[in-house]
């Protein structure tokens, strides 16, 4: 059996109605893997009550990728899902919180940002610069820590932009051999020393 149909079960609490309505394979995946596939979610927001109803499920992943109409998430409710390990938000262009620079990260890093305001791109070979646009997005989102350690292709960090983020307490840039600014003598001292 790779599909479970539970439509019309008005007294059923688990899975929640929002999952039941998706039907078939989505319900099966939810029950078996503790993963919720809400890709291409059609609404502009997810009701707080829908997230609260998921608390019993002990979910490990929610995938909202490609939800082009989604602009609001109940972030406080999502933080209460203590078993959640991954929140995928790629392809949600109208979503402003978390910012787009966070939405494009993998699900674990996105959730880490929501919970701790830590932006972590460590080891990502596609990171070549931490520019002023990124600094502005992270400033607006209240970032506390930026980790870009081990980014082999990172060449430049906008010092003025990141220096202006009042909430930023740590900027970790170690082991980035192509980094031209700030100099290695500063980045090798660690996050707090770099800020």
């Amino acid at each position: 059996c790779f599909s479970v149909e539970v439509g019309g079960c008005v007294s059923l609490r688990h899975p929640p109605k929002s999952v039941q309505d998706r039907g078939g394979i989505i319900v099966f995946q939810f029950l078996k893997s503790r993963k919720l596939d809400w890709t291409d979610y059609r609404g502009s927001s997810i009701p707080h009550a829908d997230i609260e109803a998921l608390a019993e499920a002990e979910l490990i992943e929610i995938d909202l990728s490609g939800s082009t109409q989604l602009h609001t998430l109940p972030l406080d409710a999502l933080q209460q899902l203590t078993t959640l390990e991954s929140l995928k938000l790629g392809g949600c262009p109208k979503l402003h919180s978390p910012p787009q620079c966070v939405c494009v990260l993998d699900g674990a890093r996105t959730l880490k940002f929501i919970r701790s305001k830590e932006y972590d791109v460590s080891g990502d070979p596609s990171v070549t610069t931490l520019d002023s646009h990124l600094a502005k997005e992270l400033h607006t989102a209240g970032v506390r820590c930026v980790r870009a350690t081990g980014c082999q292709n990172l060449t430049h960090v906008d010092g003025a932009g990141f220096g202006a983020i009042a909430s930023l307490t740590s900027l970790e840039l170690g082991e980035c051999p192509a980094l031209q600014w700030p100099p290695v003598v500063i980045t090798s001292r660690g996050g707090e020393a770099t800020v």
Side-chain angles (χ1 to χ4, degrees):
C1 177
F2 294 105
S3 179
V4 178
E5 295 297 335
V6 290
C9 302
V10 292
S11 298
L12 188 64
R13 287 185 51 212
H14 186 74
K17 182 165 178 17
S18 58
V19 175
Q20 293 176 37
D21 292 347
R22 299 285 302 243
I25 190 71
I26 304 298
V27 174
F28 178 74
Q29 210 177 6
F30 177 85
L31 294 171
K32 183 176 189 293
S33 307
R34 297 179 17 224
K35 295 181 179 180
L36 178 55
D37 181 351
W38 265 349
T39 53
D40 300 318
Y41 184 85
R42 301 227 188 303
S44 62
S45 64
I46 296 176
H48 205 277
D50 283 0
I51 299 296
E52 288 175 346
L54 297 172
E56 290 179 33
E58 297 183 348
L59 286 178
I60 59 171
E61 179 179 285
I62 297 175
D63 188 349
L64 285 158
S65 301
S67 300
T68 57
Q69 298 307 309
L70 186 63
H71 64 77
T72 306
L73 278 178
L75 297 178
D76 55 335
L78 284 166
Q79 291 181 55
Q80 301 305 313
L81 300 178
T82 57
T83 59
L84 195 62
E85 299 171 3
S86 176
L87 178 62
K88 297 179 179 179
L89 298 173
C92 301
K94 293 183 179 180
L95 196 59
H96 295 289
S97 183
Q100 286 300 303
C101 63
V102 173
C103 291
V104 298
L105 300 175
D106 66 57
R109 291 180 188 205
T110 298
L111 188 60
K112 185 179 197 177
F113 182 85
I114 290 169
R115 287 184 173 149
S116 67
K117 298 293 186 188
E118 179 179 314
Y119 181 76
D120 187 353
V121 291
S122 295
D124 187 337
S126 69
V127 175
T128 58
T129 185
L130 300 179
D131 61 20
S132 61
H133 177 73
L134 176 64
K136 286 176 188 171
E137 274 193 278
L138 293 174
H139 174 72
T140 301
V143 69
R144 291 187 190 117
C145 174
V146 173
R147 283 200 175 111
T149 58
C151 292
Q152 299 300 309
N153 299 314
L154 178 62
T155 59
H156 183 78
V157 176
D158 180 339
F162 280 87
I165 301 174
S167 60
L168 188 63
T169 60
S170 180
L171 177 59
E172 299 178 16
L173 302 169
E175 300 172 32
C176 299
L179 189 60
Q180 298 165 6
W181 194 96
V184 174
V185 70
I186 294 173
T187 61
S188 65
R189 296 184 63 198
E192 288 78 22
T194 306
V195 175

